[in-house]
């Protein structure tokens, strides 16, 4: 699996005006619902909050990777939000988040494997500071797809 296989321009938000983590999570879950990645906004959002309660999803360098596993997931997906401003987000470096990459995966074993592969691919990609800088400056959905697909 490559990121290009799951990156969808329709699930990317650039220049998102979000005041806090809750608004950001809600926006990304809404995008998944609009694009039929999930069947229930509330069920999936609940699974995201459950995961958020288990530990920080902010990996540092203004990046957060929230995720949820739920039976309401129709297909594995990745949604990306590039925020206009940094929002408070529990993170390893306590600097908040401005790039938020949400994963949607189902609860069966096969999708759980996909979940781990996606997390690994994204974490590896975002370990490069130049990738983070490019994402922070991205204003078009196509730019985000291009940056994450390299």
């Amino acid at each position: 699996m490559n990121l290009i296989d799951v990156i969808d321009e329709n699930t990317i938000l650039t220049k998102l005006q979000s005041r806090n983590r809750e608004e950001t999570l809600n926006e990304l879950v809404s995008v998944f619902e609009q694009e039929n990645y999930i069947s229930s906004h509330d069920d999936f959002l609940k699974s995201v909050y459950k995961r958020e309660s288990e530990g920080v999803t902010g990996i540092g360098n203004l990046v957060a990777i929230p995720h949820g596993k739920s039976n309401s997931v129709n297909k594995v997906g990745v949604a990306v939000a590039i925020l206009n401003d940094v929002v408070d987000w529990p993170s390893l470096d306590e600097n908040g988040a401005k790039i938020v990459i949400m994963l949607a995966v189902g609860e069966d074993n096969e999708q759980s494997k996909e979940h781990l592969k996606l997390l690994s691919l994204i974490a590896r990609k975002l370990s490069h500071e130049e990738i983070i800088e490019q994402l922070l400056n991205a204003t078009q959905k196509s730019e985000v797809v291009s940056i994450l697909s390299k």
Side-chain angles (χ1 to χ4, degrees), residues 43-108:
D43 285 348
F44 185 68
L45 187 60
K46 193 180 301 181
S47 76
V48 171
Y49 275 111
K50 179 176 183 254
R51 173 57 188 89
E52 289 287 308
S53 71
E54 294 171 357
V56 297
T57 55
I59 63 171
N61 292 327
L62 303 177
V63 177
I65 309 176
H67 43 284
K69 292 192 334 187
S70 165
N71 286 329
S72 66
V73 174
N74 299 327
K75 59 183 175 180
V76 173
V78 175
V80 179
I82 310 297
L83 310 179
N84 276 345
D85 301 303
V86 175
V87 296
D88 283 338
W89 202 291
S91 64
L92 298 176
D93 63 5
E94 300 181 5
N95 286 331
K98 197 169 177 192
I99 300 169
V100 181
I101 300 176
M102 179 181 280
L103 308 180
V105 293
E107 292 202 43
D108 67 49

Side-chain angles (χ1 to χ4, degrees), residues 1-68:
M1 172 189 290
N2 291 310
L3 279 178
I4 189 70
D5 299 329
V6 291
I7 298 288
D8 178 352
E9 258 190 43
N10 295 322
T11 59
I12 295 173
L13 303 170
T14 57
K15 301 181 182 179
L16 182 63
Q17 299 272 2
S18 186
R19 292 177 296 183
N20 53 46
R21 179 173 67 149
E22 291 71 25
E23 278 186 13
T24 306
L25 292 173
N26 196 48
E27 285 286 336
L28 289 170
V29 171
S30 292
V31 166
F32 275 141
E33 184 178 37
Q34 289 165 10
E35 298 301 321
N36 296 314
Y37 280 84
I38 59 173
S39 59
S40 170
H41 182 282
D42 292 343
D43 285 348
F44 185 68
L45 187 60
K46 193 180 301 181
S47 76
V48 171
Y49 275 111
K50 179 176 183 254
R51 173 57 188 89
E52 289 287 308
S53 71
E54 294 171 357
V56 297
T57 55
I59 63 171
N61 292 327
L62 303 177
V63 177
I65 309 176
H67 43 284

